[in-house]
Amino acid sequence: MVETMRLPCDEIITGDCLEAMAGLPAASIDLVFADPPYNLQLSGELHRPNNSRVDGVEEDWDKFAGFDEYDRFTRSWLAACRRLLKPHGGLWVIGTYHNIFRIGAALQDLGFWILNDIVWRKTNPMPNFRGRRFTNAHETLLWCAVSREARYTFNYEAMKALNEDLQMRSDWLIPLCSGPERLRDLHGKKAHPTQKPEALLHRALLASTRPGEMILDPFFGTGTTGAVAKRLGRRFIGIERDPAYVAVARRRIAGVSPVAGEAVALESRREAPRIPFGNLVERGLIRPGEVLFDQTRRFQARVRADGSLISAEHRGSIHSVAAQVQGASAWNGWTFWYVQREGVPTLIDSLRQQLRSEAAPLTSD
């Protein structure tokens, strides 16, 4: 009798990531965030000009015999992730110039579809002490869908709001993990050499998941992914082979309080019911014969009974007339036209939102 695989929600699995992922059910994960070994290929210690030793990555988990071994490892864990991801699932992986290009090739070979490469630009990078290269001031994140046709999640409006109502770009200026956020052991040494800032995970998870969805981190470390997932109302599974890191992660995540549900519920305009302007006329929110105007009151158009507009020289939809009066090829009429209500200019989009909030069924355009 085959034992049914269990999904360990909000748990950390101690062990090898390939073995642990083999024990998880297929198509059970909404998003993978992976911070794999970088294969830094370090030789010897690095010292500052004052001869003090740089606290870098020296752990065995970042050591490989060569590129062939690293490539086999990369393809193995990526293939395991692919088996676990749902059809709409996504994957983030972060790396440096040491490994990200090899990972990118493996992703494409396995059928993942790269959506963006994000440059995490560090405000406080470690300087290049030897003075033989440019300072390494960034890392690269690859954001992928499971296939070119996948209907992946992208919370565009949330990213725009996070960026003061401007489209979020693919270069993210975020400081390194430091100060109170940097976890340390009893001797004051960094608990993990490559701990990522929570701000970085906050942005990635907020952009590509919904509340309640399951996130897998196969290289969990000290639990940044789990801490941010818990705070944002997402579920997580962490896999980490070092018991010391697991202990730190469990203590850390236990101290995290989830935010209230309404604070993490995201609304997507693309997923909201599409409402034709004519519905506003049918429902009496805008009357035939009323005059619409732009914010500056430079342009005007009258509403017709069928929901079309007519101006001095143009007629058509709210979008086409908005474009025509400005001499533009296209324009969003919902954010262009206003109507007077109780002496106050009111954006017609606010009337559309009023219809969306009502329970009555609406037609879609």
Side-chain angles (χ1 to χ4, degrees):
M1 181 175 180
V2 178
E3 183 179 352
T4 302
M5 294 182 179
R6 184 180 70 89
L7 197 63
C9 297
D10 301 328
E11 294 183 17
I12 306 173
I13 302 171
T14 305
D16 176 79
C17 69
L18 296 177
E19 294 177 2
M21 284 192 282
L24 298 177
S28 59
I29 301 298
D30 296 289
L31 185 82
V32 171
F33 187 95
D35 184 6
Y38 285 9
N39 191 26
L40 295 178
Q41 311 141 52
L42 297 178
S43 57
E45 296 182 349
L46 180 62
H47 292 79
R48 298 180 178 87
N50 63 4
N51 207 37
S52 61
R53 183 171 168 273
V54 175
D55 187 12
V57 182
E58 300 175 349
E59 284 73 5
D60 289 339
W61 50 256
D62 195 59
K63 296 176 182 177
F64 294 83
F67 288 134
D68 287 344
E69 181 183 347
Y70 187 79
D71 291 346
R72 286 193 297 272
F73 169 70
T74 297
R75 291 176 182 275
S76 296
W77 72 259
L78 283 175
C81 289
R82 187 170 180 80
R83 183 186 73 84
L84 296 177
L85 282 168
K86 297 178 181 178
H88 66 263
L91 179 145
W92 290 85
V93 60
I94 185 170
T96 64
Y97 68 90
H98 303 88
N99 68 332
I100 199 64
F101 303 107
R102 310 188 78 84
I103 291 174
L107 282 165
Q108 292 178 320
D109 288 344
L110 289 170
F112 286 93
W113 185 254
I114 297 177
L115 301 168
N116 278 112
D117 63 324
I118 304 293
V119 175
W120 167 31
R121 191 157 62 92
K122 305 171 184 178
T123 60
N124 51 345
M126 181 184 295
N128 186 277
F129 295 108
R130 292 173 177 167
R132 296 181 179 178
R133 305 183 185 182
F134 297 107
T135 296
N136 295 322
H138 78 278
E139 294 186 30
T140 300
L141 297 94
L142 300 179
W143 176 38
C144 313
V146 293
S147 69
R148 185 173 186 171
E149 298 77 23
R151 297 178 63 85
Y152 58 90
T153 295
F154 178 46
N155 297 315
Y156 170 79
E157 288 83 9
M159 290 297 96
K160 193 173 179 182
L162 199 64
N163 197 38
E164 296 187 339
D165 210 32
L166 297 173
Q167 275 194 349
M168 182 71 75
R169 293 165 34 132
S170 62
D171 53 336
W172 297 356
L173 185 64
I174 297 174
L176 279 167
C177 185
S178 61
E181 186 183 351
R182 170 63 77 173
L183 302 175
R184 298 185 181 276
D185 60 22
L186 297 177
H187 305 288
K189 183 181 178 181
K190 295 176 183 177
H192 194 289
T194 63
Q195 180 185 339
K196 297 301 182 290
E198 290 191 6
L200 187 71
L201 270 295
H202 180 102
R203 190 173 296 185
L205 300 190
L206 190 67
S208 53
T209 62
R210 297 181 177 91
E213 290 191 332
M214 182 62 71
I215 300 164
L216 169 67
D217 186 336
F219 308 99
F220 203 58
T222 51
T224 303
T225 301
V228 174
K230 182 179 178 181
R231 184 173 296 114
L232 292 178
R234 277 69 169 166
R235 314 303 297 273
F236 72 87
I237 299 171
I239 303 173
E240 175 53 54
R241 72 182 191 180
D242 189 322
Y245 292 160
V246 172
V248 172
R250 285 181 174 146
R251 289 195 300 269
R252 175 187 189 181
I253 294 170
V256 173
S257 299
V259 299
E262 65 271 13
V264 295
L266 303 177
E267 296 180 357
S268 172
R269 294 179 184 176
R270 295 182 181 181
E271 295 179 356
R274 296 182 63 83
I275 298 174
F277 179 69
N279 280 170
L280 276 66
V281 179
E282 291 175 335
R283 300 286 293 275
L285 274 72
I286 292 178
R287 298 182 301 277
E290 276 199 281
V291 174
L292 304 186
F293 49 88
D294 72 303
Q295 189 173 27
T296 65
R297 295 184 181 268
R298 178 184 175 189
F299 305 111
Q300 293 186 346
R302 192 172 299 277
V303 179
R304 306 177 77 190
D306 62 358
S308 63
L309 302 186
I310 183 168
S311 68
E313 299 178 357
H314 309 285
R315 65 181 59 194
S317 71
I318 57 170
H319 309 297
S320 63
V321 174
Q324 290 166 11
V325 297
Q326 299 177 92
S329 58
W331 208 266
N332 183 357
W334 290 111
T335 58
F336 181 77
W337 295 114
Y338 289 74
V339 64
Q340 199 78 3
R341 288 291 178 268
E342 298 181 358
V344 178
T346 301
L347 193 64
I348 62 171
D349 191 44
S350 66
L351 302 180
R352 176 172 64 160
Q353 298 306 323
Q354 181 179 330
L355 277 188
R356 281 180 173 162
S357 66
E358 296 177 359
L362 301 173
T363 60
S364 59
D365 59 4

